[in-house]
Amino acid sequence: MFKVLRRIISLLLLVFIGYQTYVIHENVHTVLQYKSMVEEVLDNNDTQANVELVLAMIYTETKGGEVDVMQSSESSDGVANSITDSQTSIKQGVTLLSKNLALADKAKVDVWTAVQAYNFGTAYIDYVAKNGGTNTIELAKAYSRDVVAPSLGNTTGETYFYRHPIALLSGGKLYRNGGNIYYSQEVHFNLFLIEIMSAF
């Protein structure tokens, strides 16, 4: 009986892993459809950003499944989902990322601080510069709790469960209205996913 149960569990686990691999593969190839558009936008910008980083951010933001693929509307006019075409979304997203990368370089902080600032806002770059110069989950958590969340109404430190493997390794919680503490780590991981899955 135990052997049968173990086999059923193993089979279900294999099916689940297979399905998740298929979904990731499909999402990666959806994102890769924007590669030529990203290359064109980058060619018209003086930026430290590269194609792979922007594609990883698209994967992190929407997996290419929404018109505002880089979720850059709010940085443009303060209104969510106001951008109605992918090219404008990428142009605005690259503009913001390029600004963050230039500020990070000037402040002598790491590139991943600039990426995290895409989610938290540009002021995060100065915060990291004053606190060691390197983006970490601990710094992102403190900034989310003490700056971002209170500025958007969460003055009690309320949290919620965030279902993402990277988050689960560090407690799996985010501060409500506090942005994504794990954003830069997710982008970093998604760089790897795209590299692996684009080969198939």
Side-chain angles (χ1 to χ4, degrees):
M1 179 68 183
F2 180 73
K3 284 184 179 179
V4 173
L5 186 61
R6 192 169 61 184
R7 285 178 183 171
I8 291 171
I9 291 170
S10 297
L11 180 61
L12 288 174
L13 188 60
L14 280 173
V15 169
F16 175 77
I17 291 170
Y19 175 73
Q20 289 302 316
T21 302
Y22 169 77
V23 169
I24 291 168
H25 177 270
E26 292 301 297
N27 288 336
V28 165
H29 283 271
T30 298
V31 168
L32 287 174
Q33 293 174 6
Y34 294 99
K35 186 174 182 179
S36 60
M37 192 180 292
V38 170
E39 288 171 339
E40 182 184 338
V41 170
L42 289 174
D43 285 344
N44 294 320
N45 280 268
D46 180 19
T47 179
Q48 297 174 48
N50 59 51
V51 175
E52 291 76 18
L53 177 58
V54 175
L55 290 174
M57 290 175 71
I58 290 173
Y59 188 95
T60 306
E61 291 288 347
T62 64
K63 297 178 177 57
E66 297 179 29
V67 175
D68 186 2
V69 289
M70 290 193 76
Q71 294 291 283
S72 54
S73 292
E74 288 188 61
S75 69
S76 174
D77 59 15
V79 179
N81 301 314
S82 60
I83 288 177
T84 56
D85 69 277
S86 299
Q87 188 165 28
T88 301
S89 176
I90 292 169
K91 282 180 180 176
Q92 178 59 27
V94 166
T95 297
L96 177 58
L97 176 60
S98 300
K99 176 185 175 184
N100 287 352
L101 287 167
L103 289 171
D105 187 50
K106 186 177 178 181
K108 294 181 172 49
V109 299
D110 68 314
V111 168
W112 296 106
T113 295
V115 173
Q116 185 66 44
Y118 190 88
N119 182 263
F120 274 169
T122 302
Y124 182 65
I125 295 168
D126 289 332
Y127 179 84
V128 173
K130 292 171 184 172
N131 290 278
T134 303
N135 178 60
T136 63
I137 289 175
E138 291 73 25
L139 274 182
K141 183 177 181 180
Y143 190 79
S144 174
R145 180 190 64 228
D146 301 337
V147 180
V148 182
S151 75
L152 295 173
N154 180 4
T155 57
T156 62
E158 181 186 354
T159 61
Y160 64 96
F161 188 68
Y162 180 51
R163 291 177 181 87
H164 189 283
I166 290 174
L168 294 176
L169 293 172
S170 302
K173 290 185 179 179
L174 293 177
Y175 291 99
R176 192 163 302 282
N177 300 332
N180 183 355
I181 294 165
Y182 308 102
Y183 184 78
S184 66
Q185 283 79 16
E186 288 180 30
V187 172
H188 202 169
F189 180 72
N190 291 336
L191 272 168
F192 170 75
L193 273 186
I194 291 171
E195 183 182 349
I196 295 297
M197 290 294 180
S198 62
F200 300 99

